[in-house]
Amino acid sequence: PRDTVDVVVVGSGGAGFSAAVSAHDHGAKVILIEKEPVIGGNAKLAAGGMNAAWTDQQKAKDIKDSVESMYKDTMKGGRDLNEPELVEVLTSHSKGSVDWLTAMGADLNDVGRMGGASANRSHRPTGGAGVGAHVIQVLYDNAVKRDIDMRMNTRGIEIIKDDKGNVKGLLVKGMYKGYYWIKADAVILATGGFAKNNERVSKLDPKLKGFISTNQPGATGDGLDVAANAGAAMKDLEYIQAHPTLSVKGGVMVTEAVRGNGAILINREGKRFVNEITTRDKASAAILNQTGKSAFLVFDDSVRKSLSKIDKYIGLGVVPSADSLVKLGEMTGIDGKNLTEAVARYNSLVKSGKDADFGRPNLPRALNEGNYYAIEVTPGVHHTMGGVKIDSKAEIMNAKKQVIPGLYGAGEVTGGVHGANRLGGNAISDIVTFGRMAGENAAEYSKKN
Ligand code: ADP
């Protein structure tokens, strides 16, 4: 029958698609549901990259990196509150996940720097186009090729269990069919985070009340309620990340890769004030400390040319530009004289190879080519680190730390991988690695049940 399968996947972001494809390839019959009318979740919006260590792509560019270094950076970025065994899985499988996507047709050949990383390990398509849209496209194409049953406008409502507590399926609500039961031995929750739900966000972190968000409308966190009703324990819900650079005009999220490729942060007084590629929590706090609670990403044509995504922001009309820094100051309200001095000082630091002012670890290029650009930015709610508690096999656990048989979780709906603060580039890595793992383990589990 149509509604009886081995594995149901809830959510069509990167975690859900990775889980669905992987479960299928391990022999399971799969249905993937998505409550929104479109696929891709928040994953589709990810612009920065996919962190991975010791990859062929890095080796081709002579980049020295290691799994240990990625592990250390991830723990440090998360203020050591991450679950070590989950970080172990994230980092040691990161190359495997890049290879898995590459074998399915992904281009992850461009490798750049993101905040909190001690090496260039953020993988993205050649030319620097958005990684999330590309990865979702590749996964979607592969799901179609495998004839996986995908149902949009279908919301996961309640996990159904037998009297022994084993998962037996999912009650869903389809836009046209209404409520019905999908029978399955295993359910994978890949419902993402809740950054778009300011009520939920501000209850957990009152400082974020009224903040705008970078997320898609479906990022409301109702998957957490589905999990909680099934007995899932929660972890770290109070850790909610602001992304430091949303454009004040238009609310467009400006990827961290703009800074990674060389842009600097300047305040209204025309001065630098922070290591631009510090972790997101620190960069956000620093911006909120400036006059007007915003700052400007300043860069030149050499940075613009290094990242095709920047032309998209220009196309959206959120990037004032001028052929001199003084003119740029006049257009944006930045003190032009100080700005000119700050850029000259920065260029001298680039030349010396060391940021004596703020300790920025990468200084990719001087800012002295062609036109200058400034994007006014302010932090917005971006990622929710907390979620359901999982073990290193992506099994969801209850408050007694027992596995709920047949229930799996992957991606932003889970807690523990990122501790108190996620590093840029670790989300795509997380969703692909844990999604694959959830898919494989759910498929194997369903064979035994
Ligand atoms: P991840 O990055 O962890 O894969 P995303 O935010 O990209 O997470 O994707 C999660 C997807 O799950 C979104 O498209 C969201 O609309 C969908 N979703 C959330 N809750 C439900 C639900 N209860 N039923 C079906 N889909 C859901």
Side-chain angles (χ1 to χ4, degrees), residues 349-420:
L349 296 172
V350 172
K351 206 166 172 193
S352 76
K354 193 169 157 31
D355 179 5
D357 296 346
F358 297 102
R360 174 180 173 139
N362 89 327
L363 298 161
R365 40 178 68 83
L367 304 175
N368 53 17
E369 193 186 309
N371 286 319
Y372 290 100
Y373 303 84
I375 313 178
E376 186 181 358
V377 291
T378 194
V381 184
H382 185 55
H383 188 92
T384 48
M385 271 68 68
V388 299
K389 195 167 165 53
I390 54 166
D391 63 13
S392 57
K393 292 187 200 145
E395 298 168 310
I396 293 181
M397 296 193 281
N398 65 21
K400 292 182 193 149
K401 295 193 174 151
Q402 295 154 335
V403 163
I404 301 173
L407 191 58
Y408 296 80
E412 196 175 347
V413 72
T414 70
V417 178
H418 307 289

Side-chain angles (χ1 to χ4, degrees), residues 74-345:
T74 301
M75 292 298 294
K76 187 169 171 222
R79 295 186 230 133
D80 275 318
L81 290 165
N82 328 45
E83 293 262 4
E85 70 270 22
L86 299 182
V87 180
E88 180 68 42
V89 171
L90 175 80
T91 54
S92 63
H93 288 70
S94 63
K95 176 190 189 301
S97 289
V98 165
D99 292 344
W100 185 69
L101 288 172
T102 305
M104 286 196 287
D107 164 10
L108 296 167
N109 287 314
D110 188 54
V111 188
R113 183 75 67 109
M114 298 280 275
S118 50
N120 287 17
R121 66 167 72 98
S122 219
H123 296 66
R124 48 194 176 230
T126 307
V131 69
H134 177 63
V135 165
I136 290 292
Q137 188 67 50
V138 167
L139 288 168
Y140 175 74
D141 290 345
N142 276 274
V144 170
K145 216 189 288 174
R146 287 160 175 77
D147 209 13
I148 291 175
D149 184 345
M150 295 182 256
R151 304 182 184 182
M152 303 301 106
N153 294 310
T154 304
R155 181 186 293 268
I157 303 283
E158 193 182 342
I159 309 281
I160 296 168
K161 293 184 189 171
D162 65 13
D163 49 14
K164 294 190 203 90
N166 297 322
V167 168
K168 285 295 154 210
L170 182 71
L171 177 70
V172 305
K173 187 177 184 212
M175 192 183 212
Y176 306 107
K177 279 172 69 170
Y179 290 95
Y180 63 101
W181 177 13
I182 300 177
K183 291 184 185 163
D185 297 317
V187 174
I188 301 174
L189 289 177
T191 50
F194 56 94
K196 194 71 174 181
N197 185 341
N198 197 259
E199 208 182 305
R200 207 183 272 262
V201 163
S202 56
K203 244 185 230 156
L204 290 156
D205 185 348
K207 286 195 305 301
L208 298 172
K209 192 169 170 61
F211 266 51
I212 50 175
S213 167
T214 60
N215 280 210
Q216 62 104 10
T220 55
D222 52 303
L224 290 173
D225 299 334
V226 175
N229 284 336
M234 297 290 151
K235 185 171 167 52
D236 294 343
L237 286 177
E238 65 279 22
Y239 296 127
I240 298 171
Q241 178 178 75
H243 189 289
T245 61
L246 257 76
S247 68
V248 169
K249 198 174 164 195
V252 182
M253 188 191 78
V254 181
T255 173
E256 198 165 306
V258 175
R259 280 170 287 143
N261 281 21
I264 56 176
L265 277 168
I266 293 283
N267 61 21
R268 285 190 163 62
E269 291 73 32
K271 298 194 169 144
R272 276 183 81 209
F273 55 90
V274 71
N275 156 20
E276 286 83 359
I277 58 165
T278 184
T279 48
R280 288 175 171 174
D281 49 350
K282 292 188 182 135
S284 295
I287 292 171
L288 289 174
N289 266 332
Q290 307 308 309
T291 312
K293 293 189 192 306
S294 68
F296 296 84
L297 274 170
V298 173
F299 53 93
D300 70 347
D301 267 326
S302 70
V303 175
R304 180 181 72 77
K305 282 182 211 149
S306 74
L307 200 69
S308 62
K309 192 85 197 165
I310 293 176
D311 285 333
K312 298 249 165 81
Y313 305 138
I314 293 173
L316 290 169
V318 301
V319 195
S321 74
D323 57 11
S324 84
L325 288 164
V326 172
K327 273 192 214 154
L328 191 65
E330 279 164 15
M331 289 173 76
T332 53
I334 307 173
D335 181 317
K337 185 171 156 281
N338 287 348
L339 172 62
T340 308
E341 271 169 31
V343 171
R345 166 78 183 158

